Amino acid sequence: MQKKFSLLAALLIPAAAVSLGAARGNPFQVRLSPDRKIVHALWRLTFGPRPGDVERVRSLGLEKWIDQQLHPERITENPLLAGKLAPLETTRQSATEMVRNYPPPQLLRAMAAGRIPYPSDPQKRQAFEQMAKRFRQAQGQGTPAEEPASEPGARAALGRLLTQHQIAVLRNGSPQEKQRLFGSFSAAQQEALLAAAPGPARRMMLAAAPTEVRRQALASMAPVQVVAQDLQEAKLYRAIYSNRQLEEVLTDFWFNHFNVYLDKGADRYLVTSYERDAIRPHVLGKFQDLLVATAEHPAMLFYLDNWQSVDPQAAEQIRQRRGGQGGRRRGLNENYARELLELHTLGVDGGYTQQDVIEVARCFTGWTIREPRRGGGFEFNARLHDQGEKAVLGVKIPAGGGMEDGLKVLDVLANHPSTARFISTQLAQRFVSDHPPPALIEKMAKTFRASGGNLREVLQTMLAAGEFWSEGAYQAKMKSPLEMVASAVRALDANVTSALPLAFQVGQLGQPLYRKEEPTGYPNTGQEWVSSASLLGRMNFASALAANRVPGVHVDTARLAAPDRLPRTLLLANPSEPTRAAIAQALADHASGGDQPAVIAGLTLGSPEFQRR
């Protein structure tokens, strides 16, 4: 343990030095060599280079490669990706279909209690009856997938199904041994094991189970979890396998910019289509189209409570017509209006006032959702809309309007100079530096204004700027946990048969996917990711990955570069002296040389150099 902490201390030194940016003068004026430009592009515009990517970009030409990434529809997608995504059926379903096929706990509770009928379809009825039965068994103990680990009956049942040796393998075996054991059982035996196992053992088995088996087991025990896990797995598969890497990086960036929290009520079913239908199609289009798509989507309306925002007078009139029996009084909700101005468009210093927040909220009254807990879509309810005159940022919106009031606000914001600057700053922070040069931001903002918010053109301006291709930008960004995990898997060219364990790793490193509760999203800057604890966690993950101890992921160490060339192959640069020393010390501590590639790869992927992009 002492050696590990001493290695960590050695590795922290260069990380701090790099973060200080010690180049003399203005490093944003020092240009990169042609070879370093290729490496820089791969680190910044993808989730990390795969073996052979440098040679492929050099052969194609850097400018042509960038142009292809800016036009993903021209890139033939990796056929492996389609196969990885195929079992994740909820990623292709509407929210209504998800609710019907993977019902939430309250629906199961109502069925189990006989308050609502089971589906008339015989197959669905049988499936729902089984779900309700499991729900009844777990009542009072949380959701069905959270049964207590100490339940004696569950452990006894597991003991009747497995030998002591098999139980030992599930507890202490390697991921490959667990997978082989679980795969040796028939489908019926697998289902019986998962049903009998207490919490920790079940989670172990689920991690080792093939995707289809795991999904089927969860569908009968905790169906709503299938939706969340499909979403997380799909994100990892796309980040690791997609040939359209810039599109995936931008989809992650814009989802984070327009953040929605997965675990808030109905959003468990709405977030999938939010990313798929509102974010992804617009990441290289017009910002205004992206802004409108997110504003109208039920996931955003539910997350920031705008679906309940109404004109107080109109709501009270309806309540009185119902004899005062309309439940609690409803009124104006400013949550979406505030975040729209502060986080989505103008920025906190964008020139708006509290009165503007109120006026924007009035414009969006009546923007609501049909049956949100059943996956319903967007609906404008004119009866609940404030039809009075409004003024937003000095722009008058006449009385008597309807849904167009909100659309007018989005038009004003999308074309405001503060939005051009704020969005350009956010993009430059993601792709260039935590503290991008003001001159670069101004160039990007000028393009934003001139092009009507064309995001592809804004990115082209950034990629044509000398500041992007400078020493000031090179290796200046700290990877997020998602970027670190995905880039490590890509660097080793690992085969991923289940991405869920990787999603768990990302969460343990501090970035639970789709689960940033605050509307700010995860930071574009690196300070939140730099600490001794987080770097230790990354080192542990890197070692486990290289040694094939991460379930669902296999690294063919025989295909790795020779030990003396492996660090440079993974880093695309020479390792620092502390990293070389750490590797040499670790190898000296290993009597056997058979695991040398795994040791070297683990320490290289855990090094400070690999944490930067």
Side-chain angles (χ1 to χ4, degrees), residues 125 163 326 425 447 570 600 607:
R125 179 184 178 88
T163 67
T425 301
T447 297
L570 296 175
I600 295 171
S607 71

Side-chain angles (χ1 to χ4, degrees), residues 310-519:
V310 301
D311 174 30
Q313 292 183 346
E316 183 59 22
Q317 289 173 3
I318 294 174
R319 187 172 179 273
Q320 291 302 323
R321 284 199 298 268
R322 293 173 177 171
Q325 302 300 313
R328 64 180 179 84
R329 285 180 170 83
R330 298 170 62 189
L332 198 65
N333 189 298
E334 299 175 10
N335 288 356
Y336 175 67
R338 182 173 291 105
E339 309 309 348
L340 174 65
L341 297 173
E342 179 180 336
L343 298 177
H344 298 173
T345 56
L346 305 178
V348 68
D349 299 319
Y352 66 91
T353 66
Q354 173 58 25
Q355 187 58 41
D356 287 315
V357 173
I358 294 171
E359 297 291 277
V360 169
R362 292 177 60 207
C363 289
F364 282 98
T365 50
W367 286 48
T368 187
I369 312 170
R370 295 186 306 274
E371 298 185 305
R373 298 188 187 281
R374 296 193 179 186
F378 170 77
E379 177 178 75
F380 176 71
N381 189 333
R383 296 184 305 160
L384 300 177
H385 180 63
D386 183 335
Q387 297 186 13
E389 182 181 86
K390 310 164 189 80
V392 176
L393 299 171
V395 177
K396 284 191 176 181
I397 298 174
M403 181 178 168
E404 63 269 19
D405 290 355
L407 293 174
K408 177 62 177 177
V409 168
L410 297 177
D411 179 68
V412 169
L413 294 176
N415 293 284
H416 197 281
S418 293
T419 297
R421 181 171 183 80
F422 182 65
I423 297 303
S424 297
T425 301
Q426 294 291 297
L427 285 167
Q429 280 188 331
R430 169 61 182 78
F431 287 98
V432 182
S433 167
D434 286 1
H435 306 285
L440 172 62
I441 293 172
E442 183 50 43
K443 282 186 280 191
M444 295 168 66
K446 182 179 179 180
T447 297
F448 189 105
R449 295 190 297 269
S451 66
N454 187 307
L455 297 173
R456 182 183 281 112
E457 292 188 25
V458 173
L459 286 170
Q460 286 173 327
T461 296
M462 181 189 76
L463 293 169
E467 293 92 337
F468 181 83
W469 305 102
S470 71
E471 291 290 346
Y474 188 76
Q475 291 287 287
K477 293 289 298 180
M478 183 76 175
K479 293 176 184 175
S480 69
L482 170 63
E483 291 164 345
M484 188 274 164
V485 168
S487 64
V489 175
R490 285 173 63 83
L492 294 176
D493 202 21
N495 178 38
V496 182
T497 56
S498 174
L500 190 60
L502 293 175
F504 291 157
Q505 292 283 348
V506 173
Q508 289 175 351
L509 292 175
Q511 191 184 10
L513 297 178
Y514 303 100
R515 286 188 165 102
K516 179 65 170 175
E517 190 168 0
E518 300 81 6

Side-chain angles (χ1 to χ4, degrees), residues 593-613:
D595 58 353
Q596 272 196 359
V599 172
I600 295 171
L603 287 170
T604 303
L605 297 179
S607 71
E609 298 99 295
F610 194 81
Q611 307 318 306
R612 309 196 73 83
R613 56 176 178 83

